[in-house]
Amino acid sequence: MENTANTIFMGILEKINFSLLFKLAIEIVLLVLALNAMNALIDRVFKKIILKIEDLESKKQYNTMRLISASVADTVIFLFFGTNILQDMGIDMKPILATAGVLGIAIGFGAKRFIEDVISGLNILLTGQVRVGDVVVVCGMEGTVERVTLTMLVLRSFDGILHFIRNGLIDTISNRTRHFAYAVFNVTVAYKENIKEVIEVLKALGEDFKQDLYYKNHVLDDIEVLGLDEFLDSSILIKCRIKTTPQSQWEIKRKFNLLIKEKFDELGIEIPFPQVVVSKPE
């Protein structure tokens, strides 16, 4: 029994081509090394470029190009080493390539969606409509761009949900963080208040806010008080806005809203809220 097992084991060893296994192992190691080296090189080159650039918009553009370049390089390396490994294993690539060509023609008739995605992706990337890190609204979903490829756009919404959107489905992109933004305020006061005085208070508050050491680098212009915008049921609406750097508008809006509330409380300016009067029959 033991002799039979030894005979089978020796037969298996004789059939194993150790030189081929060694060659395949080397090619796999080279594949991993090539991928790591290429990704490291791309990261190093683009990071050096990004460090020299002061413009935030250009930084986003180059960061997006870095990810796209790494993706294309990985695909080329995989195809090159994959073809060599299959040939070393004795698999003839000619019939596979010929079959792939025939299948490609057949599949091409049903590949309309993929082609649409690629064409739309090229348009989005070449025109710089979105970059990694931008906050955008696409197909009714808002989020931060985490990845852009030739076929899809990946967004991370505020609540942490990751959205994968086919490029072919994208008709409109609303970029909230391109070049500059506005923090918009709808300030409501009671009808009894002097509107001209309230407007002057808002302008003075905006001027003080612009001098704040923490926020002054993010405020690009004086506050714009557009004036009385609307008569509401129980209040008057005054609209104003502050021009900010991209992605600063939300933080500035929260901070300035707090300053408005504190200042109005200090000056006794009433911010009304809806009230319901209930009459009790006698």
Side-chain angles (χ1 to χ4, degrees):
M1 187 71 176
E2 184 177 348
N3 291 333
T4 303
N6 290 334
T7 302
I8 295 173
F9 180 71
M10 293 300 296
I12 294 173
L13 289 178
E14 290 176 359
K15 292 180 180 180
I16 295 176
N17 189 337
F18 286 101
S19 62
L20 175 60
L21 290 178
F22 181 72
K23 186 176 182 180
L24 292 177
I26 290 178
E27 287 181 335
I28 292 174
V29 171
L30 290 175
L31 169 61
V32 175
L33 292 176
L35 288 172
N36 291 333
M38 182 58 68
N39 284 313
L41 177 62
I42 291 173
D43 282 345
R44 185 175 180 180
V45 170
F46 276 97
K47 285 179 179 178
K48 281 188 175 181
I49 296 173
I50 292 171
L51 286 174
K52 295 179 181 179
I53 297 174
E54 296 182 359
D55 181 47
L56 180 61
E57 301 300 316
S58 299
K59 284 180 181 288
K60 289 182 180 179
Q61 186 69 31
Y62 277 103
N63 193 37
T64 303
M65 291 173 60
R66 177 180 65 84
L67 296 177
I68 296 297
S69 300
S71 177
V72 172
D74 288 348
T75 302
V76 173
I77 292 172
F78 267 116
L79 288 175
F80 176 77
F81 279 94
T83 303
N84 287 338
I85 289 173
L86 290 175
Q87 288 178 341
D88 291 338
M89 293 174 65
I91 299 175
D92 189 0
M93 296 300 298
K94 292 180 180 178
I96 294 177
L97 293 175
T99 304
V102 175
L103 289 176
I105 296 173
I107 294 172
F109 290 104
K112 182 181 178 182
R113 287 176 56 177
F114 177 76
I115 295 172
E116 288 177 349
D117 292 343
V118 172
I119 293 174
S120 298
L122 284 172
N123 180 52
I124 291 171
L125 291 170
L126 293 176
T127 56
Q129 297 176 27
V130 296
R131 289 76 45 84
V132 173
D134 280 345
V135 179
V136 300
V137 180
V138 179
C139 297
M141 290 172 284
E142 180 175 356
T144 303
V145 178
E146 288 203 349
R147 191 165 73 252
V148 186
T149 69
L150 290 177
T151 57
M152 70 173 56
L153 185 66
V154 183
L155 301 182
R156 176 81 64 176
S157 61
F158 183 73
D159 54 6
I161 298 175
L162 200 61
H163 303 282
F164 298 87
I165 305 171
R166 283 183 45 223
N167 290 336
L169 296 176
I170 300 174
D171 291 325
T172 304
I173 298 176
S174 301
N175 195 325
R176 297 188 183 276
T177 53
R178 191 66 183 268
H179 302 309
F180 64 88
Y182 282 104
V184 180
F185 306 91
N186 294 320
V187 182
T188 57
V189 296
Y191 274 90
K192 68 181 181 64
E193 301 297 340
N194 187 315
I195 301 303
K196 290 184 179 180
E197 291 182 2
V198 173
I199 289 175
E200 291 303 318
V201 169
L202 291 172
K203 288 181 178 180
L205 199 60
E207 188 61 32
D208 292 340
F209 184 73
K210 187 181 177 182
Q211 304 305 320
D212 187 284
L213 292 176
Y214 181 78
Y215 293 103
K216 68 177 183 179
N217 292 330
H218 299 289
V219 177
L220 302 179
D221 206 346
D222 295 334
I223 186 172
E224 295 180 64
V225 182
L226 306 178
L228 197 159
D229 189 69
E230 191 175 353
F231 294 99
L232 303 177
D233 291 338
S234 58
S235 62
I236 293 175
L237 188 146
I238 300 171
K239 188 177 288 290
C240 53
R241 66 181 185 177
I242 298 176
K243 190 175 183 179
T244 74
T245 56
Q247 295 184 319
S248 299
Q249 64 266 39
W250 297 288
E251 182 182 1
I252 286 177
K253 183 174 183 177
R254 289 189 291 268
K255 178 62 177 179
F256 197 71
N257 274 332
L258 177 61
L259 294 177
I260 290 174
K261 177 64 169 65
E262 292 174 347
K263 193 65 176 180
F264 280 13
D265 287 346
E266 177 187 333
L267 299 176
I269 298 175
E270 182 183 348
I271 302 177
F273 54 89
Q275 301 182 43
V276 177
V277 178
V278 179
S279 299
K280 184 179 179 181
E282 296 181 359

